[in-house]
Amino acid sequence: MKHTDKKNEMPLRDYSWIIFLPFVALGWMAFKAALENAAALIVWLVYSLFLLFPILLILRYPVLTETGIRRTFAGISYRFVPWPEVRDVMRVYNQAYTHGMMTLMVTTTQGHVYRPDEKGYIPPAQRRAFFREWIAGKSFMIDCSGKKSGPKIVAYVEKYYGPLDYDFVAEREKQHPTPKKWW
């Protein structure tokens, strides 16, 4: 198996260390709750389940390489998508859990391409089908909303994949070449 050169990789985020911080606090809370009463322990268990879900989302991040996109969970690679397997890459608003952030939506050859409406989101009639494919891993999103890192990520994808198939930012700038002054 050929190993890629680490200099040509672009890990987009690695917060795998963060999983330990809440559990240290939760462990202390559990110890104190167990000393108090059983009801406090049940509250702690419910709280820990609600805290675990966002942590799982943070730990899932892609790594861009010259041969494709390596999808990782807490630094452990669980799927590799080579560039020839990518059907479509477009820059739109995040469709899933944090609306308002610009992302690269990557669709593999198994998924369908859903173009956004004039607001930058998947039309409501197609959202259910899109979310099914997103959960199945047929399409996924890469955050490119950072002012410094966003252009670097887009440039990296364009270098190895080619030009973006659809760019909502470019379309929006054509419609509104001068931004409004709000204050």
Side-chain angles (χ1 to χ4, degrees):
M1 180 175 179
K2 181 183 170 191
H3 294 284
T4 58
D5 188 12
K6 294 286 184 185
K7 289 185 280 185
N8 291 332
E9 289 187 353
M10 181 182 241
L12 301 180
R13 63 180 174 193
D14 186 6
Y15 298 125
S16 54
W17 56 271
I18 203 167
I19 196 167
F20 298 108
L21 298 177
F23 286 111
V24 169
L26 288 172
W28 178 251
M29 287 172 53
F31 177 72
K32 296 298 271 183
L35 292 178
E36 297 293 324
N37 58 19
L41 185 60
I42 292 171
V43 169
W44 172 80
L45 289 172
V46 171
Y47 175 75
S48 63
L49 288 176
F50 282 114
L51 186 65
L52 186 63
F53 182 70
I55 289 173
L56 294 177
L57 289 177
I58 288 172
L59 292 177
R60 201 172 144 190
Y61 63 93
V63 176
L64 301 175
T65 67
E66 60 187 12
T67 56
I69 302 169
R70 191 173 68 231
R71 299 178 68 194
T72 61
F73 181 77
I76 301 168
S77 180
Y78 68 90
R79 179 151 192 242
F80 181 76
V81 180
W83 290 117
E85 244 185 65
V86 174
R87 174 184 285 179
D88 187 80
V89 178
M90 61 180 148
R91 184 164 43 166
V92 294
Y93 284 120
N94 192 333
Q95 306 295 316
Y97 48 90
T98 51
H99 289 287
M101 293 173 37
M102 293 305 294
T103 61
L104 289 176
M105 191 159 72
V106 179
T107 306
T108 63
T109 53
Q110 294 91 17
H112 294 89
V113 177
Y114 298 99
R115 290 287 183 241
D117 57 9
E118 64 276 353
K119 295 177 185 173
Y121 297 107
I122 300 295
Q126 299 174 340
R127 276 194 197 134
R128 180 174 284 185
F130 166 74
F131 281 122
R132 275 193 221 121
E133 288 189 10
W134 179 68
I135 289 171
K138 296 176 183 177
S139 62
F140 55 94
M141 289 166 247
I142 299 172
D143 179 29
C144 67
S145 62
K147 292 188 184 215
K148 287 185 179 179
S149 63
K152 289 179 186 177
I153 293 168
V154 172
Y156 193 92
V157 169
E158 287 181 335
K159 178 179 178 183
Y160 293 109
Y161 170 74
L164 300 178
D165 296 305
Y166 179 78
D167 192 354
F168 179 75
V169 174
E171 291 291 322
R172 185 181 59 192
E173 288 173 357
K174 283 184 213 171
Q175 292 172 357
H176 307 288
T178 55
K180 294 180 181 178
K181 304 261 183 203
W182 294 99
W183 53 96

